[in-house]
Amino acid sequence: MPSRSDVHYFGAGPAPLPTAVLERAAGALLNYKDMGIGICEISHRSPEANQVLADAKQSLTTLLDIPDDYEILFLQSGGSGEFSAVVYHMVALWVERRRLRAEEDLRTAIADGKTEGGLEANVLARLKKEVEEELKLDYLVTGSWSLKASQEAARLVGSKHVNVALDAREANGGKFGAIPPESDWRLTPRIREGGSGSALVYYCDNETVDGVEFPSFPQCLETLPEDAVDNDPPLVVADMSSNFISRKVDVKKYAVIFGGAQKNVGNTGITIVIVHKSLLPPAARLASPDLLRQLNLPVGPVTLDWPTIAKNNSLYNTLPIFDVWVAGQVMGDLVQTFGAKKIAGQEDVSIQKAKLLYDALERYPQVYRIVPAKTVRSRMNICFRVCGGDADKEKAFLAGAEKSGLLGLKGHRSVGGIRASNYNAVPLEGAQKLAEYLESFARAQ
């Protein structure tokens, strides 16, 4: 039976965790801080649990330089749950902003005798028209996960309200693996009468299935057109589940960042959301459930309601404190390891590991074909085919890798092939060993 030190695991998620964290976790499960009970047994409302939350938030804030005007939330339901939560929240925010504007306009119009009838009825009629004609959610679809997010949005609010501003398959032979130039994106035009043209612009920063990663923040989302009236930037929402805390991020460019923990941060069970406080009460109001129902728009479950979670310090319902503790330990260790470099230190390591693997693959083009275009290759998920996708050759590759202690390399069931997930907990030694195996397998062909 192999020991933990004998293998290197490249699974896409749940992913490996640092051995040192797991060793501490084993002790914490039995007797947390000499309390005589394990961390899974303590109350989520205890002082100890609150300290776990505070420590995890502080480590994340330090790593990513998160400004004070952002809130950090811990929720359950995974990244897929946030596909829905994003829609519930951002649509309710869009509706409330439109309601306030309509109320102001119509109150004046009624007072001037330009509009007949009561204020409430006129506001509702205008909102129904605006929802019908103007409500849009922009999605940049560059892989399987952003596609699923856009499909969930369409399920919740109707496909006519979802603008797929980019479907990367259209420029890549019907398959994911490239990101077309921004000039080809079909973002909803902004409205000159104030307010965004769309309720959000959504993208997945790293696509695990297809090995595609945005090389940087999209330039077209950086600033407004020169003739725009509204000074607010586009409400950018990013799913960073699979490259979270792996590189520097300018948090200020985003309205919302979220990620499931089970790739780089911790074990399965929690999702982390970083949301700008201007989108939460008391700075912002959201449309009431009654109004949303009158407009035939969905009302989300309370456990996915960001204002509720924020108001209760992520403890509205029973949060799995052990999962938060693990994430906090991982992030705290990164703070200690890289010091003043913060997350840039981990970014350097991830680039080094990815380069080792891509260089090995590129040396043998007759054996290996890297799936995504070079300009968008993921540092986290290296996807490739062996001998043109020959089933027997790929089976032999996987069998040989397993004998060498290199596990979890089978590609996603939807696309096949080989996938080496190069998350933070994969050590440099693991990437080196895999690169050596790539070399030896190719030479044997």
Side-chain angles (χ1 to χ4, degrees), residues 136-419:
K136 293 292 182 183
L137 289 72
D138 285 359
Y139 280 77
L140 308 179
V141 176
T142 56
S144 299
W145 292 111
S146 50
L147 176 61
K148 287 186 176 183
S150 70
Q151 291 169 338
E152 173 63 358
R155 188 183 74 87
L156 292 174
V157 299
S159 58
K160 71 178 181 180
H161 296 303
V162 176
N163 172 41
V164 177
L166 160 65
D167 186 337
R169 296 171 295 183
E170 295 174 357
N172 197 47
K175 295 182 178 181
F176 294 119
I179 299 178
E182 294 180 17
S183 57
D184 293 346
W185 301 1
R186 303 176 296 271
L187 293 166
T188 299
R190 295 181 65 80
I191 295 173
R192 290 182 56 84
E193 297 302 321
S196 301
S198 59
L200 60 89
V201 180
Y202 181 109
Y203 73 96
C204 179
D205 206 35
N206 182 77
E207 293 278 3
T208 58
V209 174
D210 309 285
V212 171
E213 184 175 31
F214 277 82
S216 59
F217 186 83
Q219 187 175 1
C220 67
L221 303 181
E222 291 263 8
T223 57
L224 294 171
E226 290 183 3
D227 62 349
V229 174
D230 197 311
N231 290 321
D232 290 334
L235 293 171
V236 179
V237 176
D239 174 0
M240 294 189 181
S241 293
S242 52
N243 63 356
F244 206 60
I245 63 168
S246 72
R247 67 178 180 183
K248 291 180 68 175
V249 173
D250 187 351
V251 175
K252 297 187 298 295
K253 294 179 179 179
Y254 299 88
V256 182
I257 295 170
F258 73 84
Q262 68 274 14
K263 313 288 188 180
N264 279 319
V265 191
N267 53 297
T268 304
I270 57 168
T271 305
I272 301 172
V273 176
I274 305 169
V275 55
H276 198 281
K277 290 179 180 178
S278 67
L279 307 183
L280 297 170
R285 293 171 56 186
L286 273 64
S288 69
D290 286 343
L291 176 57
L292 292 171
R293 280 189 284 268
Q294 291 181 78
L295 298 172
N296 294 317
L297 293 171
V299 178
V302 69
T303 52
L304 293 181
D305 184 65
W306 296 339
T308 299
I309 302 303
K311 181 181 178 181
N312 289 276
N313 189 33
S314 297
L315 296 171
Y316 173 78
N317 59 330
T318 307
L319 187 68
I321 292 299
F322 174 69
D323 300 338
V324 179
W325 180 86
V326 171
Q329 292 292 304
V330 170
M331 294 186 290
D333 282 2
L334 290 177
V335 171
Q336 292 296 317
T337 298
F338 296 114
K341 291 190 72 174
K342 301 179 182 179
I343 206 60
Q346 181 60 51
E347 181 174 13
D348 291 343
V349 175
S350 71
I351 291 171
Q352 183 181 4
K353 291 189 297 175
K355 187 175 187 304
L356 273 171
L357 299 176
Y358 282 122
D359 285 352
L361 293 167
E362 286 183 329
R363 276 193 287 273
Y364 299 94
Q366 72 279 14
V367 178
Y368 303 119
R369 178 179 65 82
I370 301 169
V371 173
K374 192 167 187 174
T375 54
V376 296
R377 288 178 184 171
S378 170
R379 298 163 301 117
M380 296 287 100
N381 307 100
I382 290 111
C383 298
F384 59 97
R385 305 308 299 256
V386 176
C387 297
D390 181 279
D392 291 335
K393 292 289 187 180
E394 292 189 336
K395 187 180 294 184
F397 177 91
L398 292 169
E402 187 169 346
K403 288 180 181 178
S404 299
L406 304 168
L407 309 180
L409 288 165
K410 188 174 182 179
H412 191 272
R413 63 187 180 277
S414 65
V415 295
I418 313 296
R419 174 175 56 175

